[in-house]
Amino acid sequence: MASHSDTLVVFFGATAGANGGKLGSDEREIILLVWQIVDLHEKKVGKLHKCFVKPDSLELTDQCKEETGLTVDDLVNAEPLDKVLQQFQQTVSSEVKFLGGSSYTLCVNSPNIIRQALHPEASKKNLVLPECFFTFSDVRKEFLKCCPNAGPVQKLTPASMLEFVGLPAVSEQLFGAAEVSSMVQLILCILAEPHHHKFSCAEMVKYKLDSGTCSKTEPVDSETVIRARGLPWQSSDQDIARFFKGLNIAKGGVALCLNAQGRRNGEALVRFINSEHRDLALERHKHHMGSRYIEVYKATGEEFLKIAGGTSNEVAQFLSKENQVIIRMRGLPFTATSQEVLSFLGPESPVTDGAEGLLFVKYPDGRPTGDAFVLFSCEEYAQNSLKRHKQILGKRYIELFRSTAAEVQQVLNRYMSAPLISTLPPSPIMPVSVLSTPPFLPAASSTRDCVRLRGLPYTAGIEDILEFMAEHTIDIKPHGVHMVLNQQGRPSGDAFIQMKSPDKAFMVAQKCHKKTMKDRYIEVFQCSTEEMSIVLMGGTLNRSGLSPPPCKLPCLSPPTAYAAFPTPPALLPDAALYQPPLLAAPRPQAAAHSPAHALAYYPPQPHLYMNMNMNYTAYYPSPPVSPSTMGYFAAPSGAMAAVAAQPHHAAAAASPVLPQPGGLVRMQGLPYNTGIKDILSFFQGYQYAPDEYSGMVQMSEQARSLIQPKEWLCL
């Protein structure tokens, strides 16, 4: 810090291209360094030093020649940058010691020479800068502390500041020397009466990028974020930090963007510590990283949080270890264990804390994705692990590449926010007519404002769930807790909870995931009411797709995507929809066009019935509201058998709105030698319309000519 220094080194530089406010914006090399020492205690001034620097490319722009008055001949015999910096350090150290000082701090007219020119060029040339170039004071900001009415800091120049305090302009005519002499006069002025200024605050240049995590609830100023585009796909956060060398990136402020396949798309969002550094970063638009030029644009804090933000306790714990190198593994066998991964990496690449240094990425339902992140304590171990790139584990080759804390968050956010039931575009076929949703079921919607709890203890009740939700209980909708029962009417270990908003559901899924309840950890996934409604109505999710609630009654087959005409709702006695052992009967609902105690069956939208590659077990619904707020109603005994035993024509006469001729069932994947008797034997115990038997036979005969026979049977 400058407060600990007794000497200032007034420092100035110029490049072979743009200078002044645009210094460093065109990637031109430094060609001139000028400096002079000021003793802060004795207010003495040292000798003025001026050194030319020989660039790798001996080319000067016309603007540079005009402003500096230099030519290529002046630079031919000059020393390269590394030699000039050594000369600078030796000269300043000896002169400070001669004046009786012990330490010194650089003082510049603009941070551009340090941040935009010196550090980027040294990084490209792999030069190690002396420690003094990581701390400096800006004379303009120090001047504003004494003269706050001087104007905006961006418009201040040495000449304008001298004029403001009433000092004459310096007589020095040589470029660089005039600027340094002017700054020295200003420093002596603010050190004297009446200002008695002390250089107490210095700006810092970070030595390296600080890794860390970012919470979705953390406020991010949009004036501090940029988007970098055109990055090499293999670039890491350290490569991006090196591209922006000299500018201070916030902790965990590099977020590599991924495409839909989870691969890097050549873009990154970078968050800086303040807007000044962001503005300097924008000046590096189309600067080069290797042979590629990088585009730099403004971005927003919302974009950064969408990529880098997270609230997962599991990820936060994984990334809590400081100064760790992160490696991403992709293509792991789904059955791979922690021990197998550790054996694959080998003893030359020890993972930090063994199995605790591994993070397997999973879908919301717990299935592995084939991705994992690994922590290493040093760069050497990480390099050794990268040598295993595309080697075989099991029967699969494994990809390994560098990763970042923000990428860990992004990958986990992407997979954990995947819907439990994948959605497809609506069917182009005419949709089936659907009445308004019954009041005891949540309105079907794709809005993900619900959560699913899996792995509940079988003895868990509503009170246990509310205690598990803790402070999130206030965000539950009224009557929003739904317990799922199995076929025997016992708790299945699952529950659905409706939250007040998708954001509240997301927070619950992140905060409560894998918390314990009665010595069991509970999995919490975000989902939609559309998914919840299907399961609560008794639907089954398995590898074959989504099936409707179990029912053997005529006319209750749900509409399929093959339906071409609207199907009116079937009006049935309310007890007929639910088997007494499985679910308490709902409250009776009267309809104007139906007898008392009748309930309309509402067929789901046809596009919900689709093929999915998920393995789920059957679910049966619990009472549609919390048991504490609604009493159970026993279904009338024998109601199901009474309706099922009705002849087909009697049922049709009793309910004229029933669709004719009944429920149509499609059979797919029949053996090629299947006959009518085999089909009837398969449906033994079910009712089918006798007048449809001949139609089925005729259709079966026609189907024999198809490659894969498909049968339709009216039940």
Side-chain angles (χ1 to χ4, degrees), residues 5 17 170 199 210-212 292 367 369 387 445 543 586 646 690:
S5 301
V170 297
F199 288 79
D210 295 328
S211 60
R292 299 175 64 99
R367 293 180 297 122
T369 64
K387 297 177 182 178
S445 170
R543 294 186 182 275
Q646 288 182 349

Side-chain angles (χ1 to χ4, degrees), residues 265-590:
N265 61 4
E267 295 187 7
L269 292 170
V270 185
R271 177 189 177 192
F272 295 91
I273 61 171
N274 56 39
S275 58
E276 179 185 356
H277 289 244
R278 193 283 303 265
D279 294 339
L280 292 176
L282 293 173
E283 295 292 334
R284 302 195 187 185
H285 179 59
K286 292 195 174 181
H287 282 203
H288 288 77
M289 180 184 290
S291 59
R292 299 175 64 99
Y293 72 84
I294 309 301
E295 302 174 42
V296 182
Y297 303 100
K298 291 182 179 180
T300 65
E302 290 77 8
E303 291 176 304
F304 182 83
L305 286 177
K306 184 178 179 181
I307 299 299
T311 56
S312 172
N313 294 330
E314 185 179 12
V315 176
Q317 183 178 1
F318 176 75
L319 298 175
S320 61
K321 303 177 181 64
E322 297 290 340
N323 302 321
Q324 298 292 311
V325 184
I326 305 175
I327 298 296
R328 181 181 178 184
M329 303 180 69
R330 189 166 58 197
L332 290 169
F334 295 149
T335 58
T337 64
S338 299
Q339 190 57 46
E340 290 174 340
V341 174
L342 295 176
S343 300
F344 172 80
L345 295 172
E348 66 277 3
S349 306
V351 178
T352 302
D353 296 336
E356 294 184 4
L358 295 174
L359 177 64
F360 290 94
V361 183
K362 298 180 180 180
Y363 288 107
D365 58 356
R367 293 180 297 122
T369 64
D371 281 33
F373 293 93
V374 190
L375 294 179
F376 295 100
S377 58
C378 65
E379 188 67 31
E380 179 184 358
Y381 295 158
Q383 289 288 352
N384 292 338
S385 69
L386 292 175
K387 297 177 182 178
R388 309 285 296 177
H389 180 60
K390 291 197 173 182
Q391 294 194 16
I392 303 298
L393 174 59
K395 295 183 179 180
R396 306 190 59 158
Y397 73 87
I398 311 301
E399 297 177 284
L400 291 94
F401 44 90
R402 292 181 177 273
S403 186
T404 67
E407 185 174 10
V408 177
Q409 293 278 21
Q410 187 180 356
V411 172
L412 266 294
N413 290 344
R414 178 184 298 272
Y415 283 113
M416 291 305 296
S417 62
L420 291 174
I421 301 178
S422 57
T423 56
L424 295 177
S427 172
I429 305 175
M430 181 183 302
V432 176
S433 176
V434 180
L435 298 181
S436 61
T437 308
F440 58 87
L441 283 179
S445 170
S446 59
T447 304
R448 300 174 62 76
D449 57 355
C450 302
V451 291
R452 173 190 175 197
L453 273 60
R454 188 172 71 177
L456 294 169
Y458 295 138
T459 58
I462 300 296
E463 294 77 9
D464 298 313
I465 292 179
L466 297 181
E467 182 181 354
F468 174 80
M469 299 279 288
E471 70 273 12
H472 303 290
T473 304
I474 60 174
D475 300 322
I476 301 176
K477 286 184 178 180
H479 312 306
V481 180
H482 305 271
M483 303 288 292
V484 183
L485 308 181
N486 60 19
Q487 192 170 6
Q488 288 74 38
R490 297 174 181 173
S492 64
D494 279 37
F496 285 93
I497 300 175
Q498 293 175 266
M499 308 302 294
K500 292 181 179 179
S501 68
D503 292 337
K504 302 295 184 184
F506 177 84
M507 290 298 297
V508 172
Q510 296 298 314
K511 293 290 186 182
C512 298
H513 184 57
K514 292 198 173 181
K515 282 179 58 179
T516 58
M517 178 192 296
K518 298 182 179 180
D519 298 328
R520 295 189 57 149
Y521 75 86
I522 310 301
E523 297 175 291
V524 184
F525 308 127
Q526 188 180 7
C527 64
S528 67
T529 53
E530 192 173 62
E531 302 165 10
M532 185 181 73
S533 298
I534 295 300
V535 176
L536 287 178
M537 284 296 294
T540 301
L541 292 175
N542 50 38
R543 294 186 182 275
S544 307
L546 180 60
S547 301
C551 187
K552 300 180 182 179
L553 294 175
C555 310
L556 276 184
S557 297
T560 67
Y562 304 99
F565 301 99
T567 303
L571 295 179
L572 299 170
D574 52 355
L577 280 178
Y578 303 94
Q579 299 181 20
L582 300 181
L583 176 64
R587 298 180 187 272
Q589 175 182 356

Side-chain angles (χ1 to χ4, degrees), residues 43-60:
K43 298 180 178 56
K44 296 181 180 179
V45 179
K47 180 182 177 182
L48 181 71
H49 298 270
K50 183 176 181 179
C51 286
F52 294 121
V53 182
K54 183 178 181 180
D56 293 340
S57 176
L58 284 172
E59 294 182 5
L60 305 180

